[in-house]
Amino acid sequence: MENQTLYEKPVTWKHILKFAVPTIAMTVFMSFYTMVDGLFVSNLIGTNALSAINLTAPVIQVVTAVSTMLATGGSAVIMKKMGEQKVSEAREDFTFLILVNAAVGFVMCALGYLAMGPVFAGMNLSAEVAGYCVEYLSRYLLFTVPILLMNNFTLYMIASEKATLSLVCSVTGGVLNMVLDYVFIGVLDMGIGGAAVATGMGYSVTAVVGLGVFSRKTSLLHFRKPVPRVKVLVNAASNGCSEMATALVTGIITMMFNWTMLRYVGENGVAAVTIIMYVLMFVSSLYTGYSYGVAPMISYYHGEENHGKLKTLIRISLKVIACISVLSLAASFALTKPLVSVFARPDNPVYDLAVTGNRICAIALIFIGFNIFASGMFTALSNGVVSAVLAFSRSFVFMLITMLVLPLFLGVSGIWLATPAAELMALVLSAGMFWKHRKTYGYL
């Protein structure tokens, strides 16, 4: 009994939290990477530089999209094989997918440099903001491969029952990022490029540790001679396509937010959007962390066709998501002004825009968690199609509709309401899919 893995033990709150708490903490710290950059940049350089970080986000999301797809989809495929007791095959596939990700990193880095100029040239930005964009992104792209490896190793550490180590790596990387932000920007005067280098070096911690961990045969998953199975690559891509779609369309929607704000308010509006996105990103990281934590369990129980454990896991998960939703909504309303004041002083025109926007956008927090979990659950169940439909509808279709329609009638308030309205529409779709497939997978 002592040699049992957590997958083989009963599904209890304690065992679920052993997976989920470290991953929640890990994703929260990972969300700090960008927030810390924003904090130092806005206070040491200015809100125009803060706008630039948001304006570069779509390019970064596109660069990392394929890796996100292979990491999440690959984890589901590999842990399903582990549940089926195909251990050697799972390890061969793991090594193969890591090598594919590294190759993707080099390609996406090159494409990022090629796309950078045309993207920013078409935004009609001021010379100052455009310069900040190019400086930040050109430094960030240097770390593309380590960042993609970090995305993969984070999930595979969780799957290998090393969630605590993944958390330690994230915390270490986050602290390193903060220290280097201060050194590079505040002491060495490297400007916004220093913020990008600090972020890249912080991300690299998990990549370096992961290479060491998965080189040891004592790890549940470890490197062995890869076998390039095309079917595995296709399955990983199809299972993770929802996560790639989310990354891609998030980039597109971020561009739309920026363009709409530039039209209605100007560059101050982009800075306000950036601050609000930090708040949404922080809370979303709680849900994403939980979903990442329980995903290997869902895949494993699905692989061994253990419907009893799957039902218990899903039931507890919905209760956890509901609790986080209520608490995060209350906290966001209560802490709006202190949060905004960290990035912009009350005498800055960005401050009032961000305070008003955050109070409206915060309504979305009650819906986001269920939508993130539903998409993640279907990915873990190896149903990439349903997961993709949910993610694409939520992140693109519904956001596109609300972003185009609401500002026409409500102006700037319509921009802020777009996210809550889109998330509510997505919740209805998620609930429908959840109910439709309940008998297929036996989770209810």
Side-chain angles (χ1 to χ4, degrees):
M1 293 290 288
E2 290 184 7
N3 293 324
Q4 279 187 320
T5 65
L6 279 176
Y7 297 105
E8 296 167 318
K9 293 179 180 179
V11 179
T12 63
W13 279 87
K14 179 181 177 182
H15 292 149
I16 291 174
L17 292 178
K18 278 188 176 180
F19 272 94
V21 169
T23 57
I24 290 172
M26 175 198 67
T27 52
V28 167
F29 271 96
M30 287 176 67
S31 75
F32 282 157
Y33 282 82
T34 306
M35 293 176 69
V36 167
D37 278 352
L39 178 63
F40 279 95
V41 166
S42 61
N43 284 283
L44 297 179
I45 305 176
T47 50
N48 276 346
L50 180 64
S51 299
I53 290 181
N54 190 24
L55 291 164
T56 60
V59 179
I60 291 170
Q61 285 156 345
V62 169
V63 167
T64 59
V66 177
S67 173
T68 302
M69 171 186 72
L70 294 175
T72 53
S75 177
V77 170
I78 289 166
M79 291 315 298
K80 184 172 183 288
K81 284 192 175 182
M82 295 291 280
E84 295 167 344
Q85 303 305 312
K86 299 176 181 177
V87 179
S88 295
E89 195 174 312
R91 289 167 180 163
E92 292 167 354
D93 295 341
F94 161 67
T95 310
F96 170 56
L97 289 175
I98 292 298
L99 291 174
V100 170
N101 267 277
V104 166
F106 285 109
V107 173
M108 296 309 292
C109 177
L111 293 176
Y113 276 106
L114 290 173
M116 187 164 46
V119 167
F120 299 132
M123 287 188 178
N124 196 28
L125 303 171
S126 67
E128 182 186 21
V129 173
Y132 283 141
C133 289
V134 171
E135 184 182 353
Y136 185 83
L137 189 58
S138 62
R139 306 298 190 280
Y140 189 98
L141 288 172
L142 294 173
F143 295 90
T144 302
V145 173
I147 289 170
L148 299 197
L149 289 177
M150 180 275 300
N151 284 341
N152 282 264
F153 289 154
T154 293
L155 294 183
Y156 288 121
M157 282 182 191
I158 297 165
S160 297
E161 300 184 9
K162 297 182 186 296
T164 302
L165 176 61
S166 185
L167 168 61
V168 170
C169 290
S170 297
V171 173
T172 303
V175 172
L176 179 64
N177 184 25
M178 284 186 260
V179 172
L180 292 180
D181 265 328
Y182 174 74
V183 173
F184 291 161
I185 303 174
V187 179
L188 300 180
D189 198 26
M190 291 172 62
I192 195 170
V197 173
T199 299
M201 293 181 73
Y203 279 140
S204 298
V205 171
T206 302
V208 172
V209 173
L211 287 171
V213 167
F214 294 115
S215 295
R216 295 202 300 265
K217 292 186 178 180
T218 53
S219 176
L220 182 64
L221 287 175
H222 56 258
F223 298 132
R224 58 181 300 163
K225 186 177 180 179
V227 176
R229 298 183 180 92
V230 176
K231 184 179 179 181
V232 169
L233 189 58
V234 171
N235 287 343
S238 61
N239 283 335
C241 64
S242 62
E243 280 70 23
M244 182 181 75
T246 300
L248 288 174
V249 300
T250 298
I252 295 169
I253 293 300
T254 301
M255 278 188 179
M256 285 187 61
F257 260 109
N258 293 337
W259 286 336
T260 308
M261 269 300 177
L262 286 169
R263 176 185 171 191
Y264 280 88
V265 185
E267 290 172 353
N268 284 338
V270 176
V273 167
T274 307
I275 294 169
I276 291 165
M277 283 186 171
Y278 285 157
V279 176
L280 290 176
M281 178 177 64
F282 173 77
V283 178
S284 295
S285 70
L286 299 174
Y287 307 124
T288 303
Y290 183 83
S291 297
Y292 280 170
V294 299
M297 299 175 75
I298 294 173
S299 298
Y300 193 96
Y301 300 147
H302 174 53
E304 69 175 5
E305 298 183 358
N306 194 325
H307 299 304
K309 284 186 174 182
L310 195 57
K311 285 180 182 179
T312 304
L313 177 58
I314 299 302
R315 187 176 67 249
I316 293 175
S317 295
L318 292 175
K319 292 178 182 178
V320 171
I321 296 295
C323 289
I324 297 175
S325 299
V326 173
L327 291 174
S328 62
L329 179 64
S332 183
F333 273 117
L335 300 173
T336 291
K337 287 187 175 181
L339 285 170
V340 173
S341 65
V342 171
F343 297 93
R345 295 172 59 87
D347 58 352
N348 190 317
V350 172
Y351 178 85
D352 288 332
L353 276 170
V355 167
T356 302
N358 189 68
R359 284 177 172 161
I360 298 174
C361 276
I363 299 168
L365 299 178
I366 206 71
F367 313 125
I368 289 175
F370 294 102
N371 293 328
I372 289 175
F373 178 74
S375 180
M377 182 190 75
F378 282 110
T379 295
L381 291 169
S382 294
N383 192 331
V385 174
V386 171
S387 182
V389 168
L390 293 178
F392 187 74
S393 299
R394 170 187 172 238
S395 302
F396 185 68
V397 177
F398 298 146
M399 279 299 302
L400 183 64
I401 293 169
T402 55
M403 277 293 295
L404 290 175
V405 174
L406 294 181
L408 292 176
F409 296 98
L410 301 172
V412 176
S413 296
I415 301 173
W416 303 134
L417 275 170
T419 300
E423 292 291 348
L424 177 58
M425 294 163 72
L427 180 64
V428 174
L429 179 61
S430 295
M433 289 295 187
F434 193 87
W435 183 256
K436 179 181 177 181
H437 293 279
R438 68 193 187 283
K439 292 182 180 179
T440 304
Y441 298 106
Y443 50 68
L444 283 182

